Amino acid sequence: MTSDTLRGALARATDTVAAAVARGALAESGRLIAAHLGAGPHLIVADENTWGVAGERLADSLRAAGCAVADPLIFPGQPALYASYDNCLTIQEAMAGNTAIALGSGTINDLVKLAAFEQGVDYAVVGTAASMDGYTGAGAPMTENGVKVTRNCKAPVVVIMDLDVVAAAPPIMTASGYGDLVAKIPGGADWILADYTGVEPIDPDVWDMVQSGVTTALSRPADLAAGDADAFDGLVEGLCLSGLAMQAYNGTRPASGAEHYFSHLWEIAGLGADRNPPLSHGFKVAVGSLAMCAFYEALLQRDLTAVDLAAVATARTPWEEIEADIRSKFDGALADHAVRETSAKYAAGAELVERLQPLLDQWPAAAQRLRSQLITTAELSALLRQAGAPSRPEDIGLTADDVRAMFPKAMYYRSRYTALDVAWELGIFDELVADVFDTIWK
């Protein structure tokens, strides 16, 4: 029930030691949990929806494995459970020192993850939807006093994903997971550029964890949308591998690039928060991935070997002007954040030449490697559409101008080095953004 690829990733992970991704895995969940978390008592945390899908079967499997099962904590199914710290405290109170098992997807997993960490105990997750890559990720996005931050905590010790359960989830959740996984395409390209420039070299083993199965995982979008359980193996494993790679790397670089910054900024702005269900992270990431694939198409039309790097370095905008531009695009604490992040990656003069020279010297090879990593915007849009995920900005309530305006903000938002930074440093950022909307993504 665990592939060789998944076993290899588990060997490098820091927190997760066992995983089962297969049809019928729920029946074996008790045995696997008992082997790694002991005989309990175990508290199952669910909402009314996830309990109805798999709660009794999970409890029966635990008892059959000789485990004691505490009275479950079941949140209401409506309105949708929110990842707020008061819900985390409710879980901690119910745990009373017991081990917890998250039965659900993103929000339930994050709440239990943080609750267990703060109680000083390990936990397991039994996933009910292929909706995101955070099942095996460390850290939990949490809202407290109106502010959303990612709280430090450990990933689950055991992950169980029954493909029959996952395939029966609402199609919108599968589409969200598909949108989250397509991010590995432009995100991987960003890591390639960071590697060539020496900013952040690629770890080959971690790269393989994430990238080796992405093409297969994304290859059956229509079957996934139709709920064909056999089509879910690659998608679910790919989502799990993404989190395991982040554990092994001790960072999120293997799983995300600039496409996620579009999503993060839309989330901060509350895009789709008033929908029922709220607009998912994966849906926003899907549109960010389309934007970045289009940006790469524009970049790859350029011959960077012809660039006069000395002239580029001389024309580099001084930091004081850049900081002023950042503060004109962001307000308050977010502006301070963007200034800190952009300052950390800003380079000028000889430092800029030293960073970009290896990329320009090797541009034909780098361009070929990027083309092998990427797919066209049109191809990605077709895959997303077949999967039931957003395939154009309008699908998440945006216009092309909304996305255009987000490009410079996404560049400033994080210190991580991406294609946006390469273009910015070369002085062709605005030209490429114009190419995206004038010729590529119309």
Side-chain angles (χ1 to χ4, degrees), residues 10 15-19 36-37 121-125 154-159:
L10 287 167
D15 300 332
T16 307
V17 299
H36 296 282
L37 293 178
V121 298
D122 292 325
Y123 87 104
V125 60
K154 293 172 61 177
V157 170
V158 177
V159 178

Side-chain angles (χ1 to χ4, degrees), residues 388-430:
S391 60
R392 55 189 189 134
E394 291 79 6
D395 291 338
I396 62 170
L398 297 173
T399 65
D401 285 342
D402 291 329
V403 181
R404 183 194 290 257
M406 194 57 71
F407 268 93
K409 292 183 178 181
M411 177 181 64
Y412 289 144
Y413 179 64
R414 283 289 304 275
S415 62
R416 178 166 298 157
Y417 197 74
T418 73
L420 302 181
D421 299 299
V422 170
W424 178 47
E425 292 173 347
L426 290 172
I428 58 174
F429 180 86
D430 291 338

Side-chain angles (χ1 to χ4, degrees), residues 114-128:
L114 183 57
F117 180 75
E118 293 191 347
Q119 290 287 301
V121 298
D122 292 325
Y123 87 104
V125 60
V126 178
T128 56

Side-chain angles (χ1 to χ4, degrees), residues 5 43 111 131 147 220 239 273 321 334 338 355 361 383 400 440:
T5 303
L43 171 73
L111 288 168
S131 55
V147 178
R220 301 177 64 182
L239 293 170
E321 293 181 28
L334 192 55
R355 175 183 292 175
D361 288 345
L383 288 172
I440 295 170

Side-chain angles (χ1 to χ4, degrees), residues 202-396:
I202 287 174
D203 180 319
D205 292 335
V206 173
W207 171 273
D208 287 344
M209 279 188 212
V210 175
Q211 297 292 339
S212 61
V214 167
T215 300
T216 299
L218 298 174
S219 65
R220 301 177 64 182
D223 292 334
L224 290 167
D228 181 347
D230 290 330
F232 277 75
D233 192 11
L235 176 64
V236 173
E237 182 167 295
L239 293 170
C240 289
L241 287 169
S242 180
L244 294 171
M246 289 187 277
Q247 287 186 43
Y249 192 72
N250 193 29
T252 59
R253 166 65 89 172
S256 66
E259 77 293 324
H260 267 71
Y261 307 148
F262 288 81
S263 174
H264 291 167
L265 288 165
W266 288 325
E267 286 163 4
I268 289 170
L271 177 66
D274 56 348
R275 295 190 183 187
N276 187 21
L279 190 67
S280 72
H281 170 75
F283 274 19
K284 293 187 280 283
V285 168
V287 176
S289 296
L290 286 164
M292 284 308 299
C293 280
F295 192 83
Y296 268 107
E297 284 189 63
L299 176 64
L300 288 169
Q301 291 172 2
R302 302 297 179 105
D303 178 12
L304 298 191
T305 61
V307 171
D308 182 344
L309 197 50
V312 164
T314 300
R316 182 70 161 140
T317 304
W319 170 249
E320 293 77 13
E321 293 181 28
I322 290 172
E323 180 174 353
D325 188 48
I326 294 171
R327 294 194 181 279
S328 74
K329 291 179 168 62
F330 297 98
D331 296 321
L334 192 55
D336 294 337
H337 165 86
V339 166
R340 287 192 302 271
E341 293 290 316
T342 307
S343 175
K345 63 183 174 182
Y346 177 77
E351 183 184 4
L352 182 63
V353 172
E354 183 180 4
R355 175 183 292 175
L356 291 176
Q357 193 69 62
L359 175 64
L360 271 55
D361 288 345
Q362 303 174 79
W363 179 243
Q368 182 55 47
R369 189 173 175 189
L370 290 168
R371 290 189 179 97
S372 297
Q373 169 67 19
L374 294 158
I375 61 177
T376 68
T377 315
E379 290 170 329
L380 180 57
S381 179
L383 288 172
L384 288 165
R385 187 165 52 251
Q386 292 176 61
S391 60
R392 55 189 189 134
E394 291 79 6
D395 291 338
I396 62 170

